[in-house]
């Protein structure tokens, strides 16, 4: 039987700035699939987690089985995921991620979130970006895109793309297409692979400084008297218009 992981050992790891909490089986599954360095996996019932891995993710089942250790999750976490498992993984190297964002030519756009406020929405955008094969997601403002609630909402797919926080003067290179109600209808445009696709908050939209920096203002089709789309919905519509991952 695997050795029990102690509360102190877990909390020491969780308090390190270079480790990321993976909350739930799907976050663990995706992190492992995309090369995360997972340092600890804990579960109330390790055998149940091994069975779940065999059922839902046989490609990583061996690794899950090797890593998972018993622990009382309620003593380690403020909220226990329904799948009954949590993990700690090393946060990707920021300089390497920055190099990927800057590398040209790019085969897929970078999503720019301008002062987002909702942690769950940012996680949903990361999940979309990973699914569409976007180069990355970068945020401006004080929200941490690696906050545990963002990683939870992103289902661990931070490891499938590049996620970072930037300032306006450190945006990656590329033409900036900012979503704005006064912009040109997106249906009349072709979005290039090296584009930066910028989205403002639902309440305030794009900030004046990013709007001024934009090369193109772009609008999504919307009937009159509807105020806005959800952030993740806007990103999904725009990435779908761009075209999605190239056939392998």
């Amino acid at each position: 039987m695997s050795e029990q992981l102690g509360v102190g050992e877990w909390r020491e790891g969780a308090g390190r700035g270079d480790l990321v909490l993976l909350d739930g089986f799907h976050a663990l599954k995706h992190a492992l699939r995309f090369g995360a360095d997972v340092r600890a996996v804990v579960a109330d019932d390790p055998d149940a987690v091994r069975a779940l891995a065999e059922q839902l993710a046989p490609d990583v089942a061996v690794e899950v089985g090797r890593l998972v250790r018993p622990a009382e999750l309620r003593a380690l976490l403020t909220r226990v995921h329904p799948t009954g498992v949590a993990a700690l993984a090393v946060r990707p190297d920021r300089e390497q991620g920055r190099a990927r964002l800057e590398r040209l030519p790019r085969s897929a756009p970078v999503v720019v979130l301008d002062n987002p406020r909702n942690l769950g929405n940012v996680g949903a955008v990361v999940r979309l970006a990973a699914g569409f094969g976007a180069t990355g997601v970068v945020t401006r403002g004080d929200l941490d895109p690696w906050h545990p609630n963002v990683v939870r909402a992103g289902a661990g797919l931070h490891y499938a793309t590049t996620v970072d926080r930037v300032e306006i003067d450190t945006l990656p290179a590329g033409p900036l297409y900012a979503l704005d109600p006064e912009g040109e209808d997106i249906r009349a445009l072709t979005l290039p692979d090296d584009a930066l696709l910028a989205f403002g908050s639902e309440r305030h939209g794009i900030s004046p400084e990013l709007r001024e920096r934009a090369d193109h203002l772009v609008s999504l089709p919307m009937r009159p008297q509807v105020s806005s789309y959800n952030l993740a919905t806007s990103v999904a519509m725009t990435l779908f218009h761009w075209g999605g991952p190239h056939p392998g």
Side-chain angles (χ1 to χ4, degrees):
M1 180 179 292
S2 300
E3 180 185 354
Q4 182 91 12
L5 184 70
V7 173
E9 186 180 355
W10 173 270
R11 287 181 177 166
E12 180 181 357
R16 287 174 45 183
D18 64 330
L19 293 184
V20 176
L21 173 64
L22 303 174
D23 189 21
F25 179 76
H26 296 295
L28 172 61
K29 168 190 73 178
H30 285 135
L32 288 173
R33 281 179 175 167
F34 291 98
D37 180 2
V38 177
R39 295 297 177 86
V41 180
V42 292
D44 289 316
D45 185 350
D47 287 339
V49 173
R50 292 185 181 101
L52 192 63
E54 291 287 352
Q55 178 186 359
L56 298 180
D59 54 314
V60 297
V62 171
E63 198 164 4
V64 170
R66 177 180 62 83
L67 289 168
V68 66
R69 297 167 62 183
E72 186 182 354
L73 293 187
R74 285 180 299 177
L76 306 181
L77 305 168
T78 57
R79 184 178 75 175
V80 177
H81 193 274
T83 54
V85 62
L88 296 174
V90 176
R91 180 169 172 167
D93 182 85
R94 191 175 186 187
E95 292 304 316
Q96 292 180 6
R98 187 71 204 187
R100 286 192 294 271
L101 292 172
E102 292 288 357
R103 191 175 299 130
L104 293 174
R106 279 195 295 268
S107 60
V110 174
V111 175
V112 180
L113 303 182
D114 189 26
N115 293 305
R117 310 312 307 164
N118 185 282
L119 296 165
N121 274 344
V122 175
V125 169
V126 171
R127 195 167 184 171
L128 280 165
F132 274 96
T135 296
V137 177
V138 298
T139 64
R140 292 186 63 236
D142 55 8
L143 183 147
D144 177 9
W146 282 88
H147 187 283
N149 290 352
V150 179
V151 178
R152 179 186 298 117
L157 284 164
H158 282 59
Y159 290 91
T161 188
T162 299
V163 180
D164 200 3
R165 183 163 44 182
V166 299
E167 302 297 335
I168 196 163
D169 58 350
T170 59
L171 283 169
L176 178 59
Y177 289 73
L179 274 289
D180 186 277
E182 298 178 12
E184 184 176 359
D185 191 317
I186 195 170
R187 292 170 292 185
L189 299 172
T190 298
L191 300 175
D193 292 345
D194 63 349
L196 306 180
L197 305 176
F199 302 82
S201 67
E202 288 142 317
R203 177 170 295 181
H204 301 294
I206 290 290
S207 62
E209 60 269 27
L210 194 64
R211 198 175 193 276
E212 183 178 351
R213 163 75 169 73
D215 299 292
H216 307 274
L217 296 180
V218 181
S219 65
L220 295 170
M222 183 185 299
R223 65 183 292 185
Q225 297 183 307
V226 175
S227 300
S228 67
Y229 294 118
N230 173 272
L231 174 62
T233 300
S234 296
V235 174
M237 293 170 69
T238 304
L239 287 174
F240 186 82
H241 181 77
W242 160 65
H246 297 293

